[in-house]
Amino acid sequence: MSTAADKARAKAARIAVTRPAEGEVTPLDETPLLIPQSNDSQPVSVKPIRISLDLAPALFDQLTEWRTRAARQLGRGRVTNADALRVLVRLLLSDEELTARVVASLRRESGS
């Protein structure tokens, strides 16, 4: 019998490899999945890495409202924070202009 942790790991693995159906593909979803290329002979981890993020309540509310609008545009019941952040990371890694904008914003916010 498997434990709750085993079931959670299996579910996370299924979610990580799930692709949207053809009818659900949007321009945001068309960003290629970037897989780091390693010349090392060490095995590459396939286990998803969990991150956490603290947001100010007002910023969280704005994100929640944005996710609701995005879900409606996509015809989905919801868009999760994880869905949105995965796409944003892929866009950030593949779009040099977006990367420059983010770095400039980080510079302004940190005052350097």
Side-chain angles (χ1 to χ4, degrees):
M1 178 163 238
S2 57
T3 66
D6 292 334
K7 291 177 183 177
R9 278 192 286 277
K11 183 178 179 181
R14 284 192 310 272
I15 291 170
V17 298
T18 302
R19 293 277 188 195
E22 284 186 35
E24 294 178 0
V25 174
T26 65
L28 290 178
D29 294 333
E30 293 174 358
T31 305
L33 177 62
L34 300 177
I35 300 173
Q37 299 298 320
S38 174
N39 294 334
D40 300 343
S41 60
Q42 299 175 356
V44 176
S45 174
V46 294
K47 180 179 176 182
I49 309 297
R50 179 170 298 277
I51 61 171
S52 62
L53 174 66
D54 296 326
L55 294 175
L59 189 56
F60 178 77
D61 290 344
Q62 291 172 333
L63 176 60
T64 300
E65 290 171 9
W66 180 88
R67 289 185 304 115
T68 300
R69 288 191 309 272
R72 288 181 183 146
Q73 289 175 354
L74 294 169
R76 295 184 187 176
R78 68 181 180 155
V79 170
T80 65
N81 289 331
D83 293 334
L85 291 175
R86 281 186 200 102
V87 171
L88 285 171
V89 168
R90 288 183 191 122
L91 287 171
L92 183 63
L93 296 175
S94 65
D95 185 330
E96 290 180 24
E97 182 180 329
L98 178 60
T99 296
R101 289 175 52 201
V102 169
V103 169
S105 292
L106 288 168
R107 191 171 284 127
R108 278 192 306 275
E109 288 183 12
S110 68
S112 56

